[in-house]
Amino acid sequence: MTEQSNPKDLVQYAISAERRGFDFEVSSDHFSPWLTSQGHAPNAWTMLGAVAQVTDHVDLYTYVTCPTMRYHPAIVAQQAATLQILADGRFTLGLGSGENLNEHVVGRGWPAIAQRQDMLREAIDIIRALFTGDLVDWRGDYYQVDSARLWDVPDVPVGIGIAVGGKKAIDKLGVLADHLIAVEPDGELVRDWHTVRQGNGIAGGGRVVGQLPICWDPDRDAAIARAHDQFRWFGGGWSVNADLPTPAGFAGATQFIRPEDVAESIPCGPDLDAIVDAVRPYWEAGFTDIALVQVGGDSQEQFLKEAAEPLLDALRSAAPGDITT
């Protein structure tokens, strides 16, 4: 999470994570941290360009980029195509309808969810058109593109993942993406994803990528305190989190969340089996990939050195089939 570390440290953690055996690495794309205690928000695209140059085989994701307000979709298309070239085909463009926290900074307000999804749908159409390398002119409901062309198009097409949280979003957006991204082990969501795609004649289900926050530390109390300090924003749920505009808003909305509340929802401490148990519902719901968000800050290197490899061994031993982490 770019909100927890400065960009140089993030690049070093990416190198270490590849060496420890992770299959893929994801990056948030924020202008602001959720809470001031996190303390960082470097540009994700610049950082990922550096990561692409110092890693060899891990897949890379934006997780996720909003291509509708802070970025024009034509700019996202250019960034994604360039990063795919730098990464030698290892990049997946994760997209979503965004959060007020990051998108309000350009002074365009914050639309309701239905409009945000319509904007995202149009943005994906523009990005797909530009990925062809053809000249694109576009006059849509939300965007205009004048004589735009990507001059550097990767040999390996950029896959698109879409972050959605319900059937309405899947009905509107599912056919436009290659992969599904979700933050809860919702089996019904996964079934709806496959049903919509099959109903539209799309072969294959793509990847189904889940997210699980964890807070490993040799001292469980220290892990709980750190998770509460830096990650209690998660307790509000995305229906709330998408609309809050500032870290101060997140601090106010989460002021009554207790450390024990965080400990009940996020595996905290040295128990690796607890993390495996928390991942298991994602497997049962039909997810193919799990992104582990280690709430670490300055303790990330210790996690990577001491816990990452035994944790990966435990997860792969328990995983049913083709699961990546």
Side-chain angles (χ1 to χ4, degrees):
M1 305 295 275
T2 58
E3 301 75 31
Q4 295 185 106
S5 304
N6 72 58
K8 285 189 174 182
D9 285 342
L10 289 167
V11 173
Q12 291 303 311
Y13 298 151
I15 295 170
S16 182
E18 182 179 64
R19 290 174 179 168
R20 302 297 171 183
F22 285 91
D23 298 306
F24 69 106
E25 302 178 354
V26 305
S27 172
S28 56
D29 185 354
H30 277 211
F31 197 87
S32 299
W34 288 284
L35 296 166
T36 56
S37 57
Q38 293 176 314
H40 298 278
N43 183 274
W45 291 91
T46 307
M47 184 271 296
L48 282 169
V51 170
Q53 292 300 285
V54 295
T55 57
D56 297 315
H57 58 268
V58 286
D59 291 336
L60 304 174
Y61 286 65
T62 49
Y63 203 81
V64 293
T65 289
C66 176
T68 61
M69 299 185 69
R70 184 166 43 114
Y71 304 118
H72 189 283
I75 303 305
V76 173
Q78 185 189 37
Q79 291 175 143
T82 299
L83 186 52
Q84 182 71 313
I85 293 169
L86 291 171
D88 294 322
R90 295 181 283 129
F91 175 63
T92 297
L93 175 61
L95 298 175
S97 57
E99 299 172 61
N100 194 7
L101 175 68
N102 309 296
E103 307 310 315
H104 81 274
V105 298
V106 294
R108 295 180 58 196
W110 185 237
I113 183 60
Q115 182 177 336
R116 299 202 306 268
Q117 290 177 351
D118 288 340
M119 294 172 72
L120 179 56
R121 182 183 182 93
E122 186 174 324
I124 294 174
D125 285 338
I126 292 169
I127 291 168
R128 291 283 195 196
L130 286 165
F131 279 168
T132 65
D134 296 334
L135 190 68
V136 174
D137 286 283
W138 184 279
R139 300 292 184 278
D141 294 328
Y142 301 103
Y143 303 105
Q144 178 173 326
V145 179
D146 290 330
S147 300
R149 174 187 170 189
L150 295 185
W151 290 89
D152 292 280
V153 177
D155 294 332
V156 178
V158 179
I160 292 179
I162 189 77
V164 297
K167 189 175 187 307
K168 289 183 179 179
I170 286 178
D171 289 343
K172 186 178 290 188
L173 301 164
V175 299
L176 301 178
D178 305 297
H179 313 291
L180 172 66
I181 297 170
V183 297
E184 296 179 353
D186 187 341
E188 184 176 355
L189 186 74
V190 177
R191 289 190 292 273
D192 288 340
W193 163 262
H194 290 302
T195 298
V196 166
R197 293 171 65 78
Q198 291 166 3
N200 285 272
I202 300 174
R207 313 300 296 177
V208 180
V209 187
Q211 173 180 304
L212 177 71
I214 66 173
C215 192
W216 178 90
D217 194 280
D219 183 334
R220 186 168 187 269
D221 290 339
I224 293 171
R226 186 169 68 243
H228 179 259
D229 178 56
Q230 293 201 21
F231 225 75
R232 66 184 184 276
W233 65 269
F234 201 74
W238 288 108
S239 59
V240 174
N241 294 344
D243 289 326
L244 294 174
T246 62
F250 277 93
T254 60
Q255 62 182 310
F256 299 114
I257 294 178
R258 304 167 301 172
E260 53 264 39
D261 298 326
V262 174
E264 288 179 2
S265 60
I266 297 176
C268 292
D271 186 354
L272 301 184
D273 289 337
I275 299 173
V276 175
D277 289 341
V279 170
R280 187 165 283 108
Y282 288 89
W283 299 331
E284 294 170 349
F287 284 74
T288 61
D289 303 68
I290 302 295
L292 299 174
V293 180
Q294 159 66 2
V295 184
D298 293 339
S299 69
Q300 289 288 32
E301 196 58 46
Q302 183 183 16
F303 164 75
L304 289 164
K305 287 180 178 179
E306 298 180 18
E309 291 179 76
L311 175 58
L312 287 171
D313 288 342
L315 287 167
R316 288 169 178 149
S317 296
D322 185 20
I323 302 291
T324 60
T325 45

